[in-house]
Coordinates of all heavy atoms in Angstrom, one line a residue:
E730 N 56.9 203.9 109.0 CA 58.3 203.8 109.3 C 58.7 204.8 110.3 O 59.8 204.7 110.9 CB 59.1 204.1 108.0 CG 59.0 205.5 107.5 CD 59.8 205.7 106.2 OE1 60.8 205.0 106.0 OE2 59.4 206.5 105.5
A731 N 57.9 205.8 110.7 CA 58.3 206.8 111.6 C 58.7 206.2 113.0 O 59.5 206.8 113.7 CB 57.2 207.8 111.8
T732 N 58.2 205.0 113.3 CA 58.5 204.4 114.6 C 60.0 204.1 114.7 O 60.6 203.9 115.7 CB 57.8 203.1 114.7 OG1 57.9 202.3 113.5 CG2 56.3 203.4 115.1
N733 N 60.7 204.0 113.5 CA 62.2 203.7 113.5 C 63.0 205.0 113.9 O 64.2 204.9 114.1 CB 62.7 203.3 112.1 CG 62.1 202.0 111.7 OD1 61.8 201.2 112.6 ND2 62.0 201.7 110.4
G734 N 62.3 206.1 114.0 CA 63.0 207.4 114.4 C 63.2 208.3 113.1 O 62.8 207.9 112.0
L735 N 63.8 209.4 113.4 CA 64.0 210.4 112.4 C 65.5 210.6 112.2 O 66.3 210.5 113.1 CB 63.4 211.7 112.8 CG 62.0 211.7 113.4 CD1 61.6 213.0 114.1 CD2 61.0 211.3 112.4
A736 N 65.9 210.8 110.9 CA 67.3 211.2 110.6 C 67.2 212.7 110.0 O 66.6 212.8 108.9 CB 67.9 210.3 109.6
I737 N 67.6 213.6 110.8 CA 67.4 215.0 110.4 C 68.7 215.7 110.0 O 69.7 215.6 110.7 CB 66.8 215.8 111.6 CG1 65.6 215.1 112.2 CG2 66.5 217.3 111.2 CD1 65.1 215.7 113.5
R915 N 65.2 205.3 108.9 CA 64.5 206.3 109.6 C 63.8 207.3 108.6 O 64.1 207.3 107.4 CB 65.4 207.2 110.5 CG 66.2 206.4 111.5 CD 67.1 207.3 112.3 NE 67.8 206.7 113.4 CZ 69.0 206.4 113.4 NH1 69.8 206.6 112.3 NH2 69.6 205.8 114.4
I918 N 64.6 213.8 107.2 CA 64.0 215.2 107.3 C 65.1 216.2 107.0 O 66.3 216.0 107.4 CB 63.5 215.5 108.8 CG1 62.4 214.5 109.1 CG2 63.0 216.9 108.9 CD1 61.7 214.8 110.5
L940 N 60.1 222.7 114.1 CA 60.4 221.3 114.0 C 59.7 220.4 115.1 O 59.1 219.4 114.7 CB 62.0 221.1 114.2 CG 62.5 219.7 113.7 CD1 62.0 219.3 112.4 CD2 64.1 219.8 113.7
P941 N 59.5 220.8 116.3 CA 58.7 220.1 117.3 C 57.3 219.9 116.8 O 56.7 218.8 116.9 CB 58.8 220.9 118.6 CG 60.1 221.6 118.5 CD 60.3 221.9 117.0
L942 N 56.7 221.0 116.3 CA 55.3 220.8 115.8 C 55.2 219.9 114.6 O 54.2 219.1 114.4 CB 54.7 222.2 115.4 CG 54.0 223.0 116.5 CD1 53.4 224.3 115.9 CD2 53.0 222.2 117.3
L943 N 56.2 220.0 113.7 CA 56.2 219.2 112.5 C 56.3 217.7 112.9 O 55.5 216.9 112.4 CB 57.4 219.6 111.7 CG 57.7 218.6 110.5 CD1 56.6 218.6 109.5 CD2 59.0 219.1 109.8
I944 N 57.1 217.4 113.9 CA 57.3 216.0 114.4 C 56.0 215.5 115.0 O 55.5 214.4 114.7 CB 58.5 215.9 115.4 CG1 59.8 216.2 114.6 CG2 58.5 214.6 116.0 CD1 61.0 216.3 115.4
Q945 N 55.3 216.4 115.8 CA 54.0 216.0 116.4 C 53.0 215.7 115.3 O 52.3 214.7 115.4 CB 53.4 217.2 117.1 CG 53.7 217.3 118.6 CD 53.0 218.5 119.2 OE1 51.9 218.9 118.8 NE2 53.7 219.1 120.2
I947 N 53.7 214.7 112.2 CA 54.1 213.5 111.5 C 53.6 212.2 112.3 O 53.2 211.3 111.7 CB 55.7 213.4 111.4 CG1 56.1 214.4 110.3 CG2 56.2 212.0 111.1 CD1 57.6 214.5 110.1
F948 N 53.6 212.3 113.6 CA 53.2 211.2 114.4 C 51.7 211.1 114.7 O 51.2 210.2 115.4 CB 54.0 211.1 115.7 CG 55.4 210.6 115.5 CD1 56.5 211.5 115.4 CD2 55.7 209.3 115.4 CE1 57.8 211.1 115.1 CE2 57.0 208.8 115.1 CZ 58.0 209.7 115.0
K951 N 50.2 209.9 118.0 CA 50.7 208.7 118.6 C 51.8 209.0 119.6 O 52.5 210.1 119.5 CB 51.3 207.8 117.5 CG 50.2 207.1 116.7 CD 50.9 206.2 115.7 CE 50.1 206.1 114.4 NZ 50.8 206.1 113.2
D952 N 52.1 208.1 120.5 CA 53.3 208.3 121.4 C 54.6 208.1 120.6 O 54.8 207.0 120.0 CB 53.2 207.2 122.5 CG 54.4 207.3 123.5 OD1 55.2 208.2 123.3 OD2 54.5 206.5 124.3
Y953 N 55.4 209.1 120.5 CA 56.6 209.0 119.7 C 57.9 209.1 120.5 O 58.9 209.4 120.0 CB 56.6 210.0 118.6 CG 56.4 211.4 118.9 CD1 57.5 212.3 119.1 CD2 55.1 212.0 119.1 CE1 57.4 213.6 119.5 CE2 55.0 213.4 119.4 CZ 56.1 214.1 119.6 OH 56.0 215.5 119.9
S954 N 57.8 208.8 121.9 CA 59.0 208.9 122.7 C 60.1 208.0 122.3 O 61.2 208.3 122.3 CB 58.6 208.8 124.2 OG 57.4 208.1 124.4
E955 N 59.6 206.7 121.9 CA 60.7 205.7 121.5 C 61.3 206.2 120.2 O 62.5 206.1 120.1 CB 60.0 204.4 121.3 CG 59.9 203.5 122.5 CD 59.2 202.2 122.2 OE1 59.6 201.5 121.3 OE2 58.2 202.0 122.9
A956 N 60.5 206.6 119.3 CA 61.0 207.1 118.0 C 62.0 208.2 118.2 O 63.0 208.3 117.5 CB 59.9 207.5 117.1
M957 N 61.7 209.1 119.1 CA 62.6 210.3 119.3 C 63.9 209.8 119.9 O 65.0 210.3 119.5 CB 61.9 211.3 120.3 CG 60.8 212.0 119.6 SD 61.2 212.9 118.1 CE 62.0 214.4 118.8
A958 N 63.8 208.8 120.8 CA 65.1 208.3 121.4 C 65.9 207.6 120.3 O 67.2 207.5 120.4 CB 64.7 207.3 122.5
N959 N 65.3 207.1 119.2 CA 66.1 206.5 118.1 C 66.5 207.5 117.0 O 67.0 207.1 116.0 CB 65.2 205.4 117.4 CG 65.2 204.2 118.3 OD1 66.2 203.8 118.8 ND2 64.0 203.5 118.4
S960 N 66.1 208.8 117.3 CA 66.4 209.8 116.2 C 67.7 210.5 116.4 O 68.3 210.4 117.5 CB 65.3 210.9 116.3 OG 64.0 210.3 116.0
I961 N 68.2 211.1 115.3 CA 69.5 211.7 115.4 C 69.5 212.9 114.4 O 68.9 212.9 113.4 CB 70.6 210.7 115.1 CG1 72.0 211.3 115.2 CG2 70.5 210.0 113.8 CD1 73.1 210.3 115.5
L962 N 70.2 214.0 114.8 CA 70.2 215.2 114.0 C 71.7 215.6 113.7 O 72.5 215.5 114.6 CB 69.5 216.3 114.8 CG 69.4 217.7 114.1 CD1 68.0 218.4 114.5 CD2 70.5 218.7 114.5
S1041 N 68.7 223.0 118.8 CA 67.8 221.9 118.3 C 67.9 220.7 119.3 O 66.9 220.1 119.5 CB 68.3 221.4 116.9 OG 68.4 222.5 116.1
S1042 N 69.1 220.4 119.7 CA 69.3 219.3 120.6 C 68.5 219.4 121.9 O 67.7 218.5 122.3 CB 70.8 219.1 120.9 OG 71.0 218.1 121.8
A1043 N 68.5 220.6 122.5 CA 67.8 220.9 123.7 C 66.3 220.9 123.4 O 65.5 220.4 124.2 CB 68.2 222.2 124.3
N1044 N 65.9 221.5 122.3 CA 64.5 221.7 121.9 C 63.8 220.3 121.7 O 62.6 220.2 122.0 CB 64.5 222.6 120.6 CG 63.2 223.4 120.6 OD1 62.4 223.5 121.5 ND2 63.0 224.0 119.4
L1045 N 64.6 219.4 121.1 CA 64.0 218.1 120.7 C 64.4 217.0 121.6 O 63.7 216.0 121.6 CB 64.4 217.8 119.3 CG 64.1 218.7 118.1 CD1 64.8 218.4 116.9 CD2 62.6 218.7 117.9
G1046 N 65.5 217.2 122.3 CA 65.9 216.1 123.2 C 66.5 214.9 122.4 O 66.4 213.8 122.9
I1047 N 67.1 215.2 121.3 CA 67.6 214.1 120.5 C 69.1 214.3 120.3 O 69.6 215.4 120.3 CB 66.9 213.8 119.2 CG1 67.1 215.0 118.2 CG2 65.5 213.5 119.4 CD1 66.5 214.7 116.8
S1048 N 69.8 213.2 120.1 CA 71.2 213.2 119.9 C 71.6 214.0 118.7 O 71.0 213.9 117.6 CB 71.6 211.7 119.7 OG 72.9 211.6 119.3
T1049 N 72.6 214.9 118.8 CA 72.9 215.8 117.7 C 74.4 215.9 117.5 O 75.2 215.8 118.4 CB 72.4 217.3 118.1 OG1 71.0 217.2 118.3 CG2 72.8 218.3 117.1

Side-chain angles (χ1 to χ4, degrees):
E730 75 181 325
T732 47
N733 294 335
L735 316 168
I737 306 168
R915 301 182 174 102
I918 298 186
L940 195 48
L942 272 188
L943 171 62
I944 292 169
Q945 266 182 35
I947 284 178
F948 285 97
K951 288 183 207 139
D952 178 4
Y953 56 92
S954 23
E955 271 176 53
M957 289 304 278
N959 283 321
S960 298
I961 183 160
L962 182 146
S1041 307
S1042 178
N1044 211 8
L1045 300 167
I1047 66 175
S1048 169
T1049 298

